[in-house]
Amino acid sequence: PPETRAATRARTRSGPAPVTDVAKLCVCDLLVAQCDVNCCCDPDCSAADFSLFTTCSVPLVTGDNRLCSQKAAIYSLDVEANPPERIFKLIDQVNPSVFCIHATNYKQALAFSSPEMPTSENFDQLLEQFGSATFSAEPDSWNMNKDAQNPSDANETYRYEYGVPIQTVDAFLRLPSPVVSSWCSDGNPAGFLVNQATKCTRSVNVEECGNIQAASMLFYINSSILAVNITVQSVVVQSLNGMRTLLNGSDVLRLPMILDELCINIVLGMSYHITYTDTGEIIQAAASFVLGEINKEALSIQQSFEISFTQVNTKPVPVSGNPGYVVGLPIRAGFRPQGYPFPVEILFAALVLNTNKYGQLTILQSTSNQDCLAAQGPRTPILFGYNMISGCKLRITAAMKCQPLTQTLLDLLKGQNFPEYVASFGNSQAQDVLDWVPITHLHTSEQRIYNTFQSSCQIPVSLEIEVKWTKYGSLVNPQARIVNVTATITTTTLKQLPSGRERTIPITSSVVFTDISSPAEPGYKAWPTINAKLPFDFFFPFV
Amino acid sequence: NNSYQLSSVPLQILFYVNGIYYIFYFLATLAMIVYKSEVFSYPDDFLAPDLASLFIMAILEVLRLYLGSKGNLTEEEAPLGLSLLITVGSVILSVYFLVWQTYVLKADVIINAVLLFTYGLESVLKVVAIAAFVS
């Protein structure tokens, strides 16, 4: 009947009553209705059991020994007697100190307080008091701290720091990602300035096409980042055979629905593009979607998600580290635009960079046929920290002329757009010319030329790029910084061959990264100062 | 010579000793309250009455000793009677510190017992002095 149910709910349960009689208190009595070994206070033990004990594990049970006089139970084994027997004495233990507690009028003083049992009435208050990582014993002072925090939160603009979850109206901006297995979990918060790309699998039921929340566009643009609405930037529709078409009008919200036994407008890919200012505020958010369709047999879909951050008024330049270079990311390099004088003044134009981050500094890529004069294939980007060597074989015939051959080999070794400057940090901006290191060019010759007057043909046979880098910054988090880049071209003499003969010479190009970090200098801390302060409540009643 | 000097010398001596003892009592009780608040769990709504009582007792004591001493030396019964009345209040506060304090230590018991004994002796001597002045 509902009345008794309501009565049961209203009754608060309390914990078991505390035991305060020292004669009945036994901490070593762990087994119920069985005798614990060497436990002299166990009521389940008989005299025969006591005669088998060697010592008493609990010799003394007392109350709080700060009281002036308290009862104490002493358990001991009389080993002289035959058989050994247990001696139990109940005495009054006296605390001789003059500051012993004679009496107390405060009931909770000397015992642990029983915690409040949560009911539906006091649950919210208990959660407020104990729900955070730390809580104080006085609930009033806890409320005061909350009031102190409120004025700063009232500030409408939020300044984000790296890694801080992006707040939306109800919670955080989430990027579904696989956790443990490849199934999507919707709990991954997106951190500010943390570019992420995730792929995960989601199980779908085609019958409930319109109700699959996580596969509908609305789910991802519904949560508005505080004061900024998420706009739809572009929508790409992918058909069942994988063909993608970009839609023209991207304002229309396309929700999943059933059409011709297929469930269309399912979100297969989504990427957020967040624009931020240099003070750490988010001013714009856009989402791009890839919508697909699934047929009745599909049990799961694979979704891919991405989030990227761009600073306002800058073109997104891919960085190779922040700030130091990260091993494995390509070296960033660029040119100074034509028509500008030698580097002296500060007001320089920006450097021109290749928008393809893998195409900025490249070396020759070895091909399977190893023929240098074959069609120039793709070049390998130089990745920071990876020493590389590559090469090809050059077949020289008698008919080859010196100058065109030299030019071809230079183009082969250096590539079409060999840059002039290399970024010293992974995130150097093109506007800061001082952050860029010029490439030094050296020429050496394989043979020592004594007779420079002889006009022999020098053809470049090897390009060695040596990148000297150092560790920069703090000892616990050193950042890699490029200090010096030297490109050395080694040439050799091309001897004129008799007609019909041909020679094969190897052409090599290599990249070497050298760590020239100086040993760390210890930074000594300041001398410790004596900080003698009285406790804050020393002059308690007067303060 | 005692016939024209009605002031009670033992009472005056007792006032003097009481004054010195009370200074010691006040500092000792205050120090013990500070000690208790550090060592034991002493929430604010138990600490406030104890401290308030101690300060009220100090004020009463000063008043009491001044009036009693003045009444004894000027051989007037009015201030002495008022002092006797204030003694009642001091006795109640001393009993509070002896029995109803939040934490009663053995030292509290000792110094309050001595104080109560002093008050009792003083009251007897005051009554005798008032009787001598009135008649």
Side-chain angles (χ1 to χ4, degrees):
Chain A
E3 301 88 21
T4 49
R5 246 182 279 141
T8 323
R9 253 180 278 139
R11 186 173 25 127
T12 54
R13 295 172 297 131
S14 54
V19 175
T20 50
D21 186 3
V22 288
K24 296 201 180 40
L25 200 61
C26 197
V27 289
C28 54
D29 179 16
L30 300 168
L31 300 168
V32 175
Q34 271 187 53
C35 184
D36 291 84
V37 179
N38 277 345
C39 187
C40 295
C41 53
D42 194 346
D44 309 314
C45 296
S46 61
D49 295 321
F50 286 132
S51 63
L52 297 171
F53 290 170
T54 48
T55 63
C56 282
S57 59
V58 174
L60 178 69
V61 182
T62 74
D64 189 348
N65 61 353
R66 287 184 297 200
L67 294 171
C68 286
S69 130
Q70 37 165 335
K71 284 222 173 300
I74 302 184
Y75 300 94
S76 60
L77 274 183
D78 182 13
V79 289
E80 304 286 315
N82 186 12
E85 54 185 35
R86 173 199 78 161
I87 303 175
F88 167 60
K89 277 195 292 226
L90 199 62
I91 61 166
D92 279 321
Q93 203 178 44
V94 169
N95 185 346
S97 159
V98 77
F99 296 113
C100 63
I101 301 178
H102 182 83
T104 163
N105 290 311
Y106 172 43
K107 279 291 166 289
Q108 299 99 305
L110 303 169
F112 292 116
S113 56
S114 358
E116 234 178 286
M117 281 290 171
T119 63
S120 47
E121 286 90 48
N122 63 3
F123 189 80
D124 289 323
Q125 180 248 324
L126 284 179
L127 185 66
E128 197 181 274
Q129 192 175 352
F130 298 112
S132 61
T134 60
F135 48 87
S136 73
E138 319 284 357
D140 299 325
S141 58
W142 200 87
N143 285 336
M144 281 193 319
N145 282 340
K146 247 185 15 152
D147 290 333
Q149 275 170 18
N150 274 338
S152 60
D153 284 348
N155 193 359
E156 272 304 313
T157 53
Y158 283 81
R159 279 165 193 12
Y160 285 98
E161 288 176 8
Y162 178 84
V164 168
I166 298 175
Q167 286 191 304
T168 61
V169 175
D170 44 357
F172 296 111
L173 189 69
R174 296 183 197 282
L175 205 70
S177 66
V179 177
V180 183
S181 64
S182 65
W183 294 102
C184 286
S185 141
D186 287 324
N188 178 32
F192 186 65
L193 289 188
V194 178
N195 294 329
Q196 287 181 31
T198 59
K199 269 199 193 26
C200 58
T201 323
R202 208 181 280 275
S203 68
V204 288
N205 185 2
V206 189
E207 309 292 315
E208 303 185 357
C209 186
N211 288 340
I212 310 172
Q213 252 213 336
S216 112
M217 272 173 76
L218 199 60
F219 180 68
Y220 297 103
I221 63 176
N222 206 5
S223 55
S224 66
I225 302 174
L226 284 150
V228 169
N229 279 332
I230 304 183
T231 56
V232 177
Q233 198 175 30
S234 69
V235 175
V236 167
V237 172
Q238 179 175 323
S239 66
L240 264 181
N241 56 5
M243 203 169 67
R244 290 187 175 188
T245 35
L246 178 64
L247 290 187
N248 275 337
S250 54
D251 288 346
V252 177
L253 200 66
R254 292 167 162 260
L255 295 174
M257 55 190 202
I258 299 203
L259 190 72
D260 298 336
E261 296 192 355
L262 294 174
C263 186
I264 66 169
N265 294 338
I266 298 276
V267 171
L268 291 181
M270 195 272 305
S271 75
Y272 285 120
H273 303 285
I274 313 268
T275 312
Y276 65 97
T277 65
D278 53 359
T279 52
E281 292 163 31
I282 292 183
I283 56 172
Q284 204 188 339
S288 313
F289 290 93
V290 172
L291 300 178
E293 46 201 30
I294 51 174
N295 54 14
K296 285 228 184 315
E297 286 93 34
L299 291 172
S300 66
I301 51 172
Q302 191 179 46
Q303 298 182 309
S304 62
F305 300 95
E306 201 190 312
I307 185 165
S308 64
F309 293 87
T310 318
Q311 196 169 349
V312 70
N313 291 336
T314 62
K315 279 213 214 28
V317 170
V319 294
S320 297
N322 195 17
Y325 273 99
V326 172
V327 168
L329 291 183
I331 305 262
R332 297 179 59 227
F335 308 84
R336 209 172 340 109
Q338 297 297 329
Y340 279 89
F342 233 68
V344 177
E345 295 105 32
I346 311 171
L347 38 99
F348 256 132
L351 285 155
V352 173
L353 304 176
N354 195 343
T355 47
N356 175 16
K357 69 173 178 178
Y358 286 103
Q360 295 179 355
L361 188 63
T362 56
I363 61 168
L364 174 71
Q365 185 172 37
S366 308
T367 54
S368 51
N369 60 0
Q370 293 192 2
D371 190 358
C372 291
L373 298 175
Q376 205 170 38
R379 295 175 64 84
T380 321
I382 296 181
L383 306 176
F384 183 80
Y386 289 172
N387 298 339
M388 297 195 234
I389 185 165
S390 63
C392 56
K393 287 202 190 319
L394 178 68
R395 236 174 27 165
I396 305 178
T397 59
M400 280 185 180
K401 298 273 188 290
C402 181
Q403 200 44 40
L405 187 63
T406 312
Q407 194 54 44
T408 313
L409 284 175
L410 267 179
D411 282 341
L412 193 68
L413 285 170
K414 284 191 169 180
Q416 292 302 326
N417 291 324
F418 195 71
E420 298 168 9
Y421 288 86
V422 168
S424 71
F425 282 113
N427 66 347
S428 298
Q429 298 293 323
Q431 297 93 306
D432 313 317
V433 188
L434 296 172
D435 267 348
W436 294 74
V437 170
I439 297 183
T440 319
H441 290 87
L442 290 180
H443 281 92
T444 62
S445 175
E446 258 183 21
Q447 299 101 355
R448 275 175 292 198
I449 304 175
Y450 288 113
N451 40 354
T452 46
F453 300 106
Q454 201 175 37
S455 59
S456 51
C457 187
Q458 297 284 327
I459 53 166
V461 287
S462 98
L463 167 70
E464 183 182 321
I465 300 179
E466 187 179 5
V467 180
K468 292 202 177 82
W469 63 279
T470 171
K471 292 199 192 83
Y472 186 80
S474 74
L475 201 59
V476 292
N477 191 12
Q479 304 297 314
R481 177 188 188 177
I482 292 184
V483 183
N484 191 351
V485 178
T486 313
T488 310
I489 302 250
T490 310
T491 57
T492 184
T493 320
L494 176 66
K495 287 196 270 289
Q496 199 57 20
L497 287 170
S499 66
R501 299 280 301 276
E502 48 181 49
R503 254 179 72 194
T504 309
I505 51 173
I507 308 282
T508 55
S509 63
S510 62
V511 180
V512 172
F513 286 87
T514 320
D515 180 1
I516 58 164
S517 329
S518 48
E521 281 169 15
Y524 289 110
K525 286 177 69 164
W527 274 100
T529 55
I530 296 177
N531 189 12
K533 281 206 298 218
L534 296 171
F536 72 100
D537 56 356
F538 191 73
F539 294 106
F540 173 74
F542 304 102
V543 150
Chain B
N1 337 24
N2 263 352
S3 54
Y4 50 81
Q5 184 199 312
L6 296 173
S7 311
S8 167
V9 173
L11 183 60
Q12 201 61 29
I13 296 174
L14 204 54
F15 280 145
Y16 185 71
V17 169
N18 192 356
I20 295 176
Y21 179 71
Y22 190 76
I23 293 171
F24 162 74
Y25 171 89
F26 178 81
L27 293 173
T29 308
L30 191 62
M32 278 198 286
I33 288 181
V34 170
Y35 165 76
K36 285 178 220 168
S37 73
E38 295 294 312
V39 171
F40 305 128
S41 145
Y42 213 152
D44 287 342
D45 31 352
F46 287 89
L47 187 56
D50 290 351
L51 278 171
S53 310
L54 186 62
F55 280 95
I56 292 172
M57 193 181 181
I59 293 169
L60 285 182
E61 189 71 17
V62 167
L63 217 58
R64 194 180 70 95
L65 288 174
Y66 171 72
L67 285 173
S69 182
K70 180 170 144 201
N72 188 24
L73 292 175
T74 56
E75 295 179 3
E76 284 181 24
E77 57 275 356
L80 214 50
L82 203 54
S83 174
L84 196 57
L85 213 57
I86 297 177
T87 306
V88 174
S90 287
V91 162
I92 293 174
L93 284 173
S94 182
V95 167
Y96 169 83
F97 279 109
L98 184 64
V99 173
W100 299 316
Q101 231 192 131
T102 309
Y103 291 97
V104 181
L105 307 182
K106 199 192 280 185
D108 278 319
V109 171
I110 294 170
I111 58 177
N112 276 294
V114 171
L115 196 66
L116 280 174
F117 172 75
T118 314
Y119 286 166
L121 202 56
E122 252 177 36
S123 306
V124 165
L125 287 176
K126 275 187 207 164
V127 167
V128 165
I130 288 176
F133 298 158
V134 165
S135 64

